[in-house]
Amino acid sequence: MKTVKLANGVSMPMEGFGVFQIPEAICEQVVMDAVETGCRLIDTASSYQNEEAVGRAIKNCSIPREELFITTKAYIQEMGYDQTIQAFDRSLKKLGLEYLDLYLIHMPFGDYYGSWRAMEKLYREGKVRAIGVCNFWPDRLLDLCFNAEIKPHINQIERHPHYQRMEDLQLMKELGVQPEAWAPFAEGLKGMFNEPVLLDIAQKHGKTPAQVILRWNVQQGVIIIPKSVHKERIEENMAIWDFELDEEDMAQIAGLDQAGPSMLDPRKVSEVRRVYDYLNHPVLTSL
């Protein structure tokens, strides 16, 4: 497993495991399976309602805490200085941890500037090893970097072959912000796994389209956190470190870009309404 050094020198695994939409009832076992498979980066959030299950998996697995990289996030109702301090403490308690490796602002809504000041405080106090943001468009990220005392170490974004965001990646590189893809498969939307280009490249390397997608991301320096509840699929997702895509492969995949999100557009009014509605109806949807 390769790692990448964040701007503050902290090493972070380039591949991890996301637990979005994994119900509490099965989350502990699934995380245990991921860790057993070799995964050391686990990504959750307060809004996922499974931090306690993740915490149990961390406690019950055989891997020392210092070898794991644990991420969680503060959601919209937790924005604001005091609210984020309280949210951090709640998440830490649910996870059963003494510190976090990465804490993120989940959405660019509400008083996220107040939240960022709180996160800077938590970082300085050593309660979290790195801090960052999630779903921040380039203008919001740049504005925050101009006004923050500590720049975000991470920007976690929707990123996959249908939404490649090369200009966004270039800006993050210039700012020293590490990109991380929260939806490397876009949940298979828009025929992702049946793209002829991906199928041909997969056959060429003796891999699956999913493995090609993950490899494509990490070769461009993007951290990935794929999700599955099936152990065999988790093992498949981890088996991407024994091959490399060539220039022709990368050029072909570049041609798949549809220049728009498949899952979340934080600038659309309907999407803003949807993420705020989640506060009142936090129901986990289908796996």
Side-chain angles (χ1 to χ4, degrees), residues 135-147:
N135 300 309
F136 271 54
W137 277 68
D139 58 335
R140 294 298 87 205
L141 179 64
L142 184 60
D143 183 63
L144 181 59
C145 286
F146 281 150
N147 289 282

Side-chain angles (χ1 to χ4, degrees), residues 183-228:
F185 305 138
E187 297 186 353
L189 297 174
K190 299 182 179 179
M192 176 72 75
F193 294 127
N194 294 314
E195 285 283 3
V197 165
L198 297 177
L199 290 168
D200 288 346
I201 294 173
Q203 184 176 26
K204 170 183 172 181
H205 292 280
K207 294 292 183 177
T208 66
Q211 290 170 320
V212 169
I213 291 167
L214 296 178
R215 184 69 203 184
W216 168 79
N217 262 304
V218 298
Q219 281 189 210
Q220 295 174 91
V222 179
I223 295 170
I224 48 173
I225 46 171
K227 179 209 78 178
S228 178

Side-chain angles (χ1 to χ4, degrees), residues 29 31 41 43 45 75 103 167 195 198 208 210 212 233 240 246 273 282-283:
Q29 183 59 55
V31 173
L41 163 60
D43 180 277
Y75 202 59
Y103 197 41
E167 291 183 3
E195 285 283 3
L198 297 177
T208 66
V212 169
R233 190 64 57 79
I240 63 165
D246 58 34
R273 291 186 188 278
V283 178

